[in-house]
């Protein structure tokens, strides 16, 4: 229920730009749509291997779980991230992100005795909480860069993918998400009133 309230507040704050997308928000939605159109079919990502995909999907579900609204998997977060990794990130950012994903399962096995996706919800939340705390510490350190931590990107990609998807926009209360506009569709005789 807390997540629903947080989304309600976010939706209330963002309602103006969301009702009539303009400016930066409209650009973000357009870019997001272009990314989604380049998304590889499941299992065909060049860089997001099946094990990395599994880790990313599990991390995204911890960040945005299914509650009374759809979670990250229903929004296609992992597919969006696969498209980013394959065609949109520069080599340095991609390598940093993938190297970080590759550390998750070994660390989870050492700590909990199972791959991250196989850990309990409590173990996953604890692990993600630790990553989040690391990023928060880096943000406070003037000599460090939080954007150099892979989890910074995991959260950023997850939130961007979710809240630019139809599922995420609906969770925010965005009611009009047209894929096409067909203004010259002929009316049927019943619609004309004949």
């Amino acid at each position: 229920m807390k997540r629903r309230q947080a989304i309600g507040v976010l939706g209330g704050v963002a309602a103006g730009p969301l009702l009539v997308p303009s400016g930066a928000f409209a650009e973000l939605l357009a870019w997001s749509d272009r990314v989604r159109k380049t998304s590889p079919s499941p299992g065909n990502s060049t860089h997001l291997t099946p094990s990395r995909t599994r880790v990313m999907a599990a991390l995204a579900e911890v960040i945005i779980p299914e509650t009374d609204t759809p979670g990250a998997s229903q929004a296609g977060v992992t597919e969006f991230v696969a498209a980013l990794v394959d065609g949109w990130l520069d080599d340095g950012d991609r390598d940093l992100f993938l190297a970080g994903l590759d550390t998750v399962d070994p660390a989870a096995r050492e700590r909990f005795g199972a791959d991250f996706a196989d850990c309990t919800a409590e173990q996953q939340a604890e692990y993600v909480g630790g990553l989040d705390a690391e990023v928060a510490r880096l943000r406070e350190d003037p000599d460090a860069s939080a954007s150099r931590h892979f989890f910074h990107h995991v959260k950023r990609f997850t939130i961007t993918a979710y809240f630019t998807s139809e599922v995420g926009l609906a969770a925010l209360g965005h009611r009009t998400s047209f894929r096409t506009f067909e203004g010259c569709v002929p009316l049927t005789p019943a619609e004309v009133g004949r």
Side-chain angles (χ1 to χ4, degrees):
M1 194 56 139
K2 287 182 183 178
R3 183 166 163 258
R4 171 63 82 182
Q5 291 167 342
I7 289 172
V9 169
L10 180 57
V13 170
L18 289 176
L19 292 175
V20 180
S22 63
F25 185 70
E27 289 176 25
L28 177 63
L29 289 177
W31 171 79
S32 168
D33 195 43
R34 287 192 306 273
V35 170
R36 283 182 170 79
K37 288 178 181 173
T38 64
S39 181
S41 58
N44 289 330
S45 173
T46 306
H47 300 288
L48 210 59
T49 62
S51 62
R52 288 173 175 159
T53 298
R54 192 166 184 253
V55 168
M56 183 61 219
L59 287 168
E61 277 300 315
V62 173
I63 295 168
I64 304 178
E66 181 178 359
T67 58
D68 54 340
T69 57
S73 63
Q74 290 93 341
V77 167
T78 305
E79 293 82 3
F80 182 90
V81 171
L84 282 178
V85 169
D86 279 357
W88 293 83
L89 296 181
D90 65 33
D91 293 346
D93 287 339
R94 182 193 63 233
D95 294 345
L96 174 80
F97 178 72
L98 295 175
L101 284 182
D102 290 342
T103 67
V104 173
D105 276 342
R109 281 192 299 270
E110 182 178 309
R111 191 165 171 185
F112 303 115
D115 286 346
F116 181 75
D118 297 326
C119 289
T120 66
E122 293 79 19
Q123 292 168 332
Q124 289 178 343
E126 180 181 326
Y127 186 84
V128 167
L131 292 174
D132 206 28
E134 284 179 46
V135 172
R137 277 192 298 279
L138 290 172
R139 283 191 188 110
E140 293 173 5
D141 183 349
D143 297 326
S145 174
S147 67
R148 298 301 304 159
H149 194 290
F150 89 98
F151 190 69
H152 167 81
H153 298 295
V154 169
K155 284 180 67 176
R156 185 169 62 111
F157 297 160
T158 298
I159 291 167
T160 299
Y162 187 83
F163 288 109
T164 60
S165 71
E166 288 187 29
V167 166
L169 289 169
L172 285 174
H174 188 292
R175 301 257 191 279
T176 55
S177 178
F178 300 108
R179 290 283 178 213
T180 61
F181 175 72
E182 298 179 21
C184 296
V185 175
L187 298 175
T188 66
E191 292 170 323
V192 174
R194 293 184 186 168

